[in-house]
Amino acid sequence: MNRKTYPLNALRAFEASARHLSFVAAAEELSVTPAAISHQVKKLEDYLGCPLFRRRTRGLVLVETGQLLAKELHSVFLTLDQAMEHVMETDKGGSLALTVAPTFAAMWLIPRLQKFYAQHPDIDVLVSTSLGLVDFQRDDFDAAIRLGHGQWPGLEAIKLFDESVIPMCSPRLLEGQNAIREPSDLKTQVLLHNQSMDFDPNAPTWQTWLDASGTQDVDATRGMQFSLPDHGLQAAIDGAGVVLGWRFLSAKDVQAGRVVELFDLAIPLGSTFYLVYPEAHSRRPNIVAFREWVLGELRDP
Protein backbone atom coordinates (compact mmCIF):
# COMPACT_ATOMS: atom_id res chain seq x y z
CA MET A 1 0.00 0.00 0.00
CA ASN A 2 1.46 3.33 -1.05
CA ARG A 3 0.91 6.22 1.36
CA LYS A 4 0.03 9.67 0.09
CA THR A 5 2.70 12.32 0.36
CA TYR A 6 1.64 15.22 2.57
CA PRO A 7 3.39 18.59 3.11
CA LEU A 8 4.66 17.70 6.58
CA ASN A 9 6.57 20.95 7.14
CA ALA A 10 3.45 22.91 6.26
CA LEU A 11 1.35 20.76 8.60
CA ARG A 12 3.78 21.32 11.47
CA ALA A 13 3.82 25.08 10.80
CA PHE A 14 0.02 25.18 10.76
CA GLU A 15 -0.34 23.11 13.95
CA ALA A 16 2.01 25.41 15.88
CA SER A 17 0.30 28.52 14.49
CA ALA A 18 -3.12 27.14 15.45
CA ARG A 19 -2.00 26.46 19.03
CA HIS A 20 -0.54 29.92 19.48
CA LEU A 21 -2.84 31.79 17.06
CA SER A 22 0.33 33.60 16.06
CA PHE A 23 2.88 33.15 13.26
CA VAL A 24 5.48 34.88 15.42
CA ALA A 25 5.05 32.48 18.36
CA ALA A 26 4.98 29.48 16.02
CA ALA A 27 8.19 30.70 14.37
CA GLU A 28 9.88 31.01 17.76
CA GLU A 29 8.81 27.48 18.70
CA LEU A 30 10.04 25.97 15.43
CA SER A 31 13.19 28.15 15.19
CA VAL A 32 12.31 29.69 11.83
CA THR A 33 11.13 33.12 10.71
CA PRO A 34 7.50 34.29 10.81
CA ALA A 35 7.68 34.74 7.04
CA ALA A 36 8.63 31.06 6.67
CA ILE A 37 5.67 30.03 8.84
CA SER A 38 3.29 32.23 6.82
CA HIS A 39 4.65 30.74 3.58
CA GLN A 40 4.16 27.16 4.84
CA VAL A 41 0.59 27.87 5.99
CA LYS A 42 -0.23 29.44 2.61
CA LYS A 43 1.27 26.37 0.94
CA LEU A 44 -1.02 24.13 3.02
CA GLU A 45 -4.06 26.28 2.22
CA ASP A 46 -3.26 26.00 -1.50
CA TYR A 47 -2.83 22.24 -1.11
CA LEU A 48 -6.25 21.91 0.59
CA GLY A 49 -7.92 24.49 -1.60
CA CYS A 50 -9.46 26.40 1.31
CA PRO A 51 -8.45 28.98 3.93
CA LEU A 52 -7.54 27.87 7.44
CA PHE A 53 -7.20 31.24 9.18
CA ARG A 54 -8.69 34.67 9.04
CA ARG A 55 -5.82 37.16 9.28
CA ARG A 56 -6.70 39.94 11.73
CA THR A 57 -4.72 42.97 12.85
CA ARG A 58 -4.42 41.55 16.37
CA GLY A 59 -3.68 37.98 15.38
CA LEU A 60 -5.15 34.89 13.75
CA VAL A 61 -8.60 33.35 13.96
CA LEU A 62 -9.22 29.75 12.93
CA VAL A 63 -12.06 29.17 10.49
CA GLU A 64 -14.19 26.04 10.92
CA THR A 65 -11.98 23.94 8.63
CA GLY A 66 -8.90 25.16 10.46
CA GLN A 67 -10.41 24.23 13.83
CA LEU A 68 -11.12 20.69 12.64
CA LEU A 69 -7.65 20.22 11.15
CA ALA A 70 -5.93 21.72 14.20
CA LYS A 71 -7.72 19.30 16.53
CA GLU A 72 -6.80 16.28 14.41
CA LEU A 73 -3.20 17.37 13.90
CA HIS A 74 -2.67 17.99 17.61
CA SER A 75 -3.60 14.37 18.26
CA VAL A 76 -1.41 13.13 15.37
CA PHE A 77 1.67 15.08 16.45
CA LEU A 78 1.15 14.08 20.08
CA THR A 79 1.11 10.42 19.03
CA LEU A 80 4.26 10.98 16.97
CA ASP A 81 6.01 12.72 19.86
CA GLN A 82 5.05 9.91 22.22
CA ALA A 83 6.37 7.32 19.79
CA MET A 84 9.70 9.14 19.60
CA GLU A 85 9.79 9.54 23.37
CA HIS A 86 9.13 5.82 23.79
CA VAL A 87 12.12 5.00 21.58
CA MET A 88 14.39 7.46 23.39
CA GLU A 89 13.17 6.93 26.95
CA THR A 90 15.91 4.40 27.76
CA ASP A 91 18.37 7.31 27.65
CA LYS A 92 16.22 9.42 30.00
CA GLY A 93 14.98 6.83 32.45
CA GLY A 94 17.97 7.09 34.79
CA SER A 95 17.54 10.81 35.53
CA LEU A 96 14.88 13.36 36.33
CA ALA A 97 15.52 17.07 35.81
CA LEU A 98 13.01 19.28 37.62
CA THR A 99 12.55 23.03 37.69
CA VAL A 100 10.63 24.01 40.80
CA ALA A 101 9.26 27.17 42.39
CA PRO A 102 11.76 28.06 45.16
CA THR A 103 9.17 28.13 47.95
CA PHE A 104 7.74 24.74 47.00
CA ALA A 105 11.25 23.30 46.84
CA ALA A 106 12.30 24.65 50.24
CA MET A 107 9.08 24.06 52.17
CA TRP A 108 7.73 20.83 50.65
CA LEU A 109 9.86 18.98 48.10
CA ILE A 110 13.40 18.98 49.48
CA PRO A 111 12.42 17.79 53.01
CA ARG A 112 10.71 14.78 51.37
CA LEU A 113 13.04 14.08 48.46
CA GLN A 114 14.97 11.35 50.25
CA LYS A 115 11.72 9.36 50.38
CA PHE A 116 11.44 9.48 46.57
CA TYR A 117 15.06 8.43 46.18
CA ALA A 118 14.55 5.56 48.63
CA GLN A 119 11.74 4.25 46.43
CA HIS A 120 13.55 4.95 43.14
CA PRO A 121 17.32 4.70 43.74
CA ASP A 122 17.88 4.22 39.98
CA ILE A 123 16.60 7.75 39.19
CA ASP A 124 19.08 10.57 39.71
CA VAL A 125 17.22 13.80 40.51
CA LEU A 126 18.30 17.30 39.54
CA VAL A 127 16.36 20.12 41.20
CA SER A 128 16.68 23.66 39.84
CA THR A 129 14.72 26.46 41.50
CA SER A 130 13.31 29.33 39.49
CA LEU A 131 10.26 31.57 39.32
CA GLY A 132 10.54 31.72 35.51
CA LEU A 133 8.57 29.52 33.12
CA VAL A 134 10.71 26.84 31.50
CA ASP A 135 10.67 26.24 27.75
CA PHE A 136 10.68 22.45 27.52
CA GLN A 137 11.71 22.52 23.86
CA ARG A 138 14.73 24.69 24.58
CA ASP A 139 15.71 23.82 28.17
CA ASP A 140 16.78 20.37 29.30
CA PHE A 141 14.08 19.70 31.91
CA ASP A 142 11.71 16.77 32.20
CA ALA A 143 9.05 18.41 34.37
CA ALA A 144 8.27 21.52 36.38
CA ILE A 145 6.23 22.54 39.40
CA ARG A 146 4.50 25.82 38.64
CA LEU A 147 2.19 28.19 40.43
CA GLY A 148 -0.66 29.32 38.19
CA HIS A 149 -4.08 28.49 36.81
CA GLY A 150 -3.27 25.25 34.95
CA GLN A 151 -3.57 26.55 31.39
CA TRP A 152 -0.34 26.03 29.48
CA PRO A 153 -0.79 24.97 25.81
CA GLY A 154 0.91 21.69 24.95
CA LEU A 155 1.55 20.78 28.59
CA GLU A 156 -0.20 18.30 30.84
CA ALA A 157 -0.95 19.99 34.19
CA ILE A 158 -1.64 17.88 37.28
CA LYS A 159 -3.16 19.89 40.12
CA LEU A 160 -1.32 19.34 43.38
CA PHE A 161 -3.10 21.50 45.96
CA ASP A 162 -4.79 24.83 46.58
CA GLU A 163 -3.14 27.37 48.83
CA SER A 164 -4.45 30.08 51.15
CA VAL A 165 -2.90 32.70 53.42
CA ILE A 166 -3.54 33.43 57.08
CA PRO A 167 -1.71 35.52 59.73
CA MET A 168 0.97 33.54 61.58
CA CYS A 169 3.42 34.44 64.31
CA SER A 170 5.68 32.96 66.95
CA PRO A 171 3.85 31.77 70.08
CA ARG A 172 5.96 34.31 71.97
CA LEU A 173 3.87 37.13 70.45
CA LEU A 174 0.78 35.82 72.22
CA GLU A 175 2.32 36.68 75.58
CA GLY A 176 3.34 39.86 77.36
CA GLN A 177 2.16 43.46 77.37
CA ASN A 178 1.60 43.67 73.58
CA ALA A 179 0.12 40.17 73.22
CA ILE A 180 -1.96 39.62 70.08
CA ARG A 181 -5.58 38.85 70.95
CA GLU A 182 -7.60 40.47 68.15
CA PRO A 183 -6.88 41.86 64.66
CA SER A 184 -6.57 45.45 65.89
CA ASP A 185 -3.60 44.35 68.02
CA LEU A 186 -1.62 44.03 64.79
CA LYS A 187 -1.06 47.80 64.93
CA THR A 188 1.59 47.18 67.59
CA GLN A 189 3.32 44.45 65.55
CA VAL A 190 5.69 44.39 62.58
CA LEU A 191 3.93 43.10 59.45
CA LEU A 192 5.98 40.71 57.28
CA HIS A 193 5.21 40.98 53.56
CA ASN A 194 5.74 38.51 50.70
CA GLN A 195 6.70 40.02 47.33
CA SER A 196 6.73 36.79 45.31
CA MET A 197 3.10 37.20 44.20
CA ASP A 198 3.43 40.83 43.08
CA PHE A 199 3.04 39.67 39.47
CA ASP A 200 -0.58 38.69 40.22
CA PRO A 201 -2.83 41.71 40.94
CA ASN A 202 -5.45 39.39 42.45
CA ALA A 203 -3.12 37.76 44.98
CA PRO A 204 -4.09 38.57 48.59
CA THR A 205 -1.98 41.06 50.54
CA TRP A 206 -2.06 42.33 54.08
CA GLN A 207 -4.51 44.99 52.94
CA THR A 208 -6.76 42.26 51.51
CA TRP A 209 -6.75 40.39 54.80
CA LEU A 210 -7.32 43.49 56.93
CA ASP A 211 -10.26 44.53 54.75
CA ALA A 212 -11.78 41.04 54.98
CA SER A 213 -11.46 41.07 58.78
CA GLY A 214 -12.96 44.55 59.05
CA THR A 215 -9.80 45.93 60.65
CA GLN A 216 -9.34 49.64 59.87
CA ASP A 217 -6.68 50.94 62.27
CA VAL A 218 -3.65 48.95 61.00
CA ASP A 219 -1.27 50.42 58.41
CA ALA A 220 -0.82 47.63 55.83
CA THR A 221 2.05 49.42 54.05
CA ARG A 222 4.58 49.19 56.87
CA GLY A 223 6.85 46.35 57.96
CA MET A 224 9.47 44.10 56.40
CA GLN A 225 9.47 42.93 52.77
CA PHE A 226 10.66 39.47 51.68
CA SER A 227 11.08 38.08 48.16
CA LEU A 228 9.91 34.56 49.10
CA PRO A 229 7.20 33.24 51.47
CA ASP A 230 9.57 30.91 53.34
CA HIS A 231 11.85 33.85 54.21
CA GLY A 232 8.93 35.72 55.77
CA LEU A 233 7.86 32.58 57.60
CA GLN A 234 11.33 32.14 59.06
CA ALA A 235 11.27 35.74 60.27
CA ALA A 236 7.92 35.03 61.95
CA ILE A 237 9.34 31.88 63.58
CA ASP A 238 12.19 34.02 64.93
CA GLY A 239 9.67 36.45 66.45
CA ALA A 240 10.32 39.37 64.07
CA GLY A 241 6.63 40.00 63.42
CA VAL A 242 3.43 38.60 61.92
CA VAL A 243 3.47 37.05 58.45
CA LEU A 244 0.61 36.37 56.06
CA GLY A 245 1.69 32.74 55.86
CA TRP A 246 0.99 30.13 53.17
CA ARG A 247 -1.20 27.70 55.06
CA PHE A 248 -0.59 24.41 53.23
CA LEU A 249 3.17 24.80 52.92
CA SER A 250 3.49 26.00 56.53
CA ALA A 251 1.49 23.10 58.01
CA LYS A 252 4.49 21.30 59.51
CA ASP A 253 5.74 24.46 61.22
CA VAL A 254 2.26 24.99 62.68
CA GLN A 255 2.02 21.36 63.82
CA ALA A 256 5.45 21.61 65.43
CA GLY A 257 4.43 24.76 67.29
CA ARG A 258 7.04 26.98 65.67
CA VAL A 259 4.27 29.34 64.53
CA VAL A 260 0.58 29.68 65.31
CA GLU A 261 -2.29 30.67 63.05
CA LEU A 262 -4.27 33.75 64.12
CA PHE A 263 -7.96 34.66 63.95
CA ASP A 264 -9.18 31.72 61.79
CA LEU A 265 -9.65 33.85 58.66
CA ALA A 266 -7.86 32.43 55.61
CA ILE A 267 -7.89 34.03 52.14
CA PRO A 268 -7.45 31.85 49.00
CA LEU A 269 -4.18 32.53 47.21
CA GLY A 270 -5.94 32.30 43.82
CA SER A 271 -3.08 30.49 42.08
CA THR A 272 -2.53 26.73 42.45
CA PHE A 273 0.53 24.49 42.40
CA TYR A 274 0.72 22.14 39.39
CA LEU A 275 3.08 19.44 38.20
CA VAL A 276 3.53 20.12 34.48
CA TYR A 277 5.37 18.45 31.61
CA PRO A 278 4.95 18.14 27.84
CA GLU A 279 2.04 15.92 26.91
CA ALA A 280 4.45 13.69 25.00
CA HIS A 281 6.40 13.00 28.23
CA SER A 282 3.41 11.57 30.11
CA ARG A 283 4.51 7.92 29.69
CA ARG A 284 8.18 8.39 30.53
CA PRO A 285 9.06 6.06 33.42
CA ASN A 286 10.77 8.83 35.39
CA ILE A 287 7.76 11.15 34.98
CA VAL A 288 5.31 8.38 35.91
CA ALA A 289 7.36 7.51 39.00
CA PHE A 290 7.61 11.12 40.19
CA ARG A 291 3.96 11.90 39.45
CA GLU A 292 2.72 8.88 41.40
CA TRP A 293 5.07 9.62 44.30
CA VAL A 294 4.05 13.31 44.59
CA LEU A 295 0.33 12.51 44.48
CA GLY A 296 0.85 9.74 47.03
CA GLU A 297 2.70 12.11 49.38
CA LEU A 298 -0.12 14.65 49.10
CA ARG A 299 -2.72 11.97 49.90
CA ASP A 300 -0.76 10.67 52.89
CA PRO A 301 1.50 13.52 54.12
Side-chain angles (χ1 to χ4, degrees), residues 193-273:
H193 301 264
N194 164 35
Q195 297 177 326
S196 69
M197 295 300 293
D198 286 356
F199 69 91
D200 183 354
N202 297 316
T205 63
W206 263 115
Q207 189 63 62
T208 308
W209 189 91
L210 291 168
D211 290 344
S213 67
T215 307
Q216 299 179 352
D217 56 349
V218 177
D219 184 357
T221 65
R222 63 184 177 81
M224 300 181 187
Q225 302 282 341
F226 296 91
S227 60
L228 293 173
D230 48 307
H231 295 174
L233 180 67
Q234 185 59 54
I237 290 172
D238 294 337
V242 183
V243 69
L244 203 56
W246 290 27
R247 203 174 195 185
F248 185 95
L249 290 179
S250 303
K252 286 201 170 184
D253 291 295
V254 173
Q255 292 167 5
R258 290 185 284 271
V259 288
V260 293
E261 295 182 351
L262 303 173
F263 312 125
D264 198 29
L265 173 61
I267 308 292
L269 186 64
S271 297
T272 298
F273 281 99

Side-chain angles (χ1 to χ4, degrees), residues 137-191:
Q137 293 197 332
R138 182 191 63 207
D139 303 321
D140 193 21
F141 287 105
D142 297 299
I145 292 176
R146 290 180 175 173
L147 185 62
H149 302 287
Q151 298 175 345
W152 296 285
L155 301 182
E156 186 168 310
I158 307 298
K159 181 179 176 179
L160 300 182
F161 57 87
D162 293 316
E163 185 58 283
S164 60
V165 296
I166 192 170
M168 299 179 184
C169 70
S170 165
R172 298 197 301 274
L173 298 188
L174 303 183
E175 304 171 353
Q177 184 176 359
N178 293 322
I180 303 172
R181 295 185 177 87
E182 56 188 38
S184 62
D185 293 332
L186 293 172
K187 63 178 176 290
T188 65
Q189 302 294 328
V190 176
L191 300 184

Side-chain angles (χ1 to χ4, degrees), residues 8-25:
L8 294 179
N9 287 338
L11 290 168
R12 176 65 86 178
F14 166 73
E15 192 273 337
S17 300
R19 265 188 292 110
H20 295 289
L21 292 178
S22 167
F23 289 157
V24 173

Side-chain angles (χ1 to χ4, degrees), residues 104-115 252:
F104 184 90
M107 298 178 71
W108 195 91
L109 178 61
I110 292 174
R112 294 170 171 81
L113 203 53
Q114 79 279 3
K115 295 169 67 176
K252 286 201 170 184

